[in-house]
Structure formats: structure tokens, C-alpha cells
Amino acid sequence: MHTFFVYNVYMKSRQTKKSVQLTIRDVPAEVKKLFWHCATVQRKSLNNVLVEALSHAAGIAGEPVIYTDLDQLAGLWVKDAKFDEAIAAQDQIDPFLWK
């Protein structure tokens, strides 16, 4: 049963032709140990760590990073008297709520 499962996975990747299987020989023991350590620390498979390293070295580091912060807006604030006037009501402390 296990062989059948592996065979199906392999056949699927061959049919899509989006990835290939490589064999790398004569990897120094220190390099192997380093990648195993990285995989353990990152909680990823050794294969994923190696594919990421190869992709990064080839200059195609995978999916583009999508930033969700507001760094692109830093330094763009413009003083606006109308805005300050409109937001002034939010600066009022309601004594009833603070009793």
C-alpha cells in the first residue's frame, strides 16, 4: 500500500511538470548536519529547507512577500485643520463614563 501511495504522488508531480527530482552526491557531513538542524528548528521537512535554499541561491525565492504593515505611509502625514476639527470630539472625556 505504501508503495502505491508514493507512486501516485510521484506520477502526479511528473504530470504537472512544475517540479523535478534531483539527486545530489558528495554533500559534506557538516552541510547535511546544518540543513537537518535548520529543518528541525524551523519545523519543516529537510526537503522544504533544501528547496528554499536552492530557490534563494537561484534568485527565485518563492512567493513574493506581501507586507501587511503601514510602512509605505510613514512620513506622509500632512497637517489638516479640518481633520483636527472633526476629530476633536473624540478627545473629549465624558465625565459620566469615568465615574
Side-chain angles (χ1 to χ4, degrees):
M1 188 68 156
H2 179 67
T3 305
F4 180 73
F5 175 73
V6 172
Y7 180 75
N8 281 341
V9 171
Y10 177 70
M11 291 301 292
K12 182 177 179 185
S13 69
R14 264 187 79 126
Q15 289 171 354
T16 60
K17 298 193 182 210
K18 290 185 179 181
S19 63
V20 296
Q21 184 174 346
L22 300 175
T23 301
I24 301 174
R25 293 179 184 25
D26 300 323
V27 176
E30 299 84 26
V31 173
K32 177 186 171 189
K33 185 176 179 180
L34 175 69
F35 278 113
W36 268 111
H37 177 73
C38 290
T40 303
V41 169
Q42 296 176 20
R43 295 181 155 210
K44 295 181 179 180
S45 70
L46 178 61
N47 186 72
N48 285 346
V49 170
L50 290 169
V51 168
E52 288 174 4
L54 287 169
S55 297
H56 182 73
I60 45 175
E63 299 287 324
V65 178
I66 298 173
Y67 296 99
T68 57
D69 55 22
L70 301 175
D71 284 350
Q72 71 274 13
L73 299 176
L76 299 178
W77 184 262
V78 177
K79 286 236 177 227
D80 185 355
K82 288 183 181 179
F83 174 81
D84 292 338
E85 189 178 306
I87 201 126
Q90 293 183 17
D91 292 335
Q92 300 293 323
I93 298 173
D94 188 343
F96 178 75
L97 292 175
W98 287 95
K99 285 187 179 180

